[in-house]
Amino acid sequence: MELPENAPVRRRQSIEVYASVHLVWSLMSEIEQWPKWNTDIKSARLLGNLRPGTTFKWKAGPGTITSTIEAVEPEKMIGWSGKLPGILAVHIWRIEGNNKKVVVTTEESWSGIVPKLFRKYSEQTLEKAINDGLLLLKHAAENQYHSHS
């Protein structure tokens, strides 16, 4: 899975996480548990199984987002798309590593009228969301990993 080439707003960021691939994958893929470790997410509900075509609804910021899972490779990658008024977002999380350290890479793009008209604001908003999400994931994974090892 790749981000759309023509999206006006795109961001990519990576972070090292000192935890196992399995633990990091469980935090990323258990969508209904996202609010427990990501304080930016107020609620999340998966409407089926974790596979392409399944939708989930989640609340982050002022609105509820309906997203569709586009790709799943257990313990490697999960990607989805989501729509808000004026924005089509595509998000991909990738993980690589072993049982002591992984690198999590997150990529997201925004297409639509909002990122075209408000490009700088959209870029800043997306960059903050990606950086915050990675730091929160790192913190949650490392705390769980070190409390169980």
Side-chain angles (χ1 to χ4, degrees):
M1 179 174 178
E2 299 297 328
L3 297 180
E5 292 280 328
N6 60 351
V9 175
R10 297 165 58 108
R11 285 289 176 267
R12 177 186 171 122
Q13 187 66 39
S14 297
I15 197 166
E16 287 185 345
V17 180
Y18 294 91
S20 69
V21 169
H22 180 74
L23 175 59
V24 173
W25 174 253
S26 70
L27 290 170
M28 288 170 33
S29 64
E30 293 174 9
I31 292 170
E32 294 187 352
Q33 302 303 312
W34 287 356
K36 288 186 177 180
W37 61 266
N38 189 330
T39 52
D40 293 338
I41 298 174
K42 305 304 176 223
S43 64
R45 198 172 68 140
L46 182 64
L47 305 170
N49 296 318
L50 188 71
R51 65 175 184 240
T54 299
T55 59
F56 60 98
K57 292 185 182 288
W58 53 299
K59 186 168 176 57
T64 298
I65 305 159
T66 299
S67 293
T68 301
I69 296 171
E70 302 292 345
V72 177
E73 291 178 47
E75 298 195 353
K76 292 186 188 312
M77 184 269 295
I78 184 170
W80 66 89
S81 61
K83 290 182 183 176
L84 287 165
I87 301 173
L88 170 63
V90 176
H91 191 106
I92 305 166
W93 267 338
R94 299 181 198 279
I95 54 176
E96 298 174 31
N98 55 42
N99 287 326
K100 300 208 186 285
K101 180 176 89 170
V102 300
V103 174
V104 177
T105 301
T106 240
E107 300 176 86
E108 187 165 335
S109 67
W110 288 3
S111 304
I113 192 75
V114 171
K116 283 181 185 167
L117 293 177
F118 303 101
R119 188 173 189 152
K120 187 159 184 64
Y121 174 78
S122 296
E123 288 173 342
Q124 291 170 341
T125 302
L126 180 55
E127 188 161 336
K128 181 180 183 334
I130 282 178
N131 289 337
D132 289 354
L134 283 173
L135 287 171
L136 289 165
L137 177 66
K138 175 182 174 70
H139 181 74
E142 289 178 354
N143 278 348
Q144 284 186 38
Y145 184 74
H146 295 294
S147 70
H148 292 100
S149 53

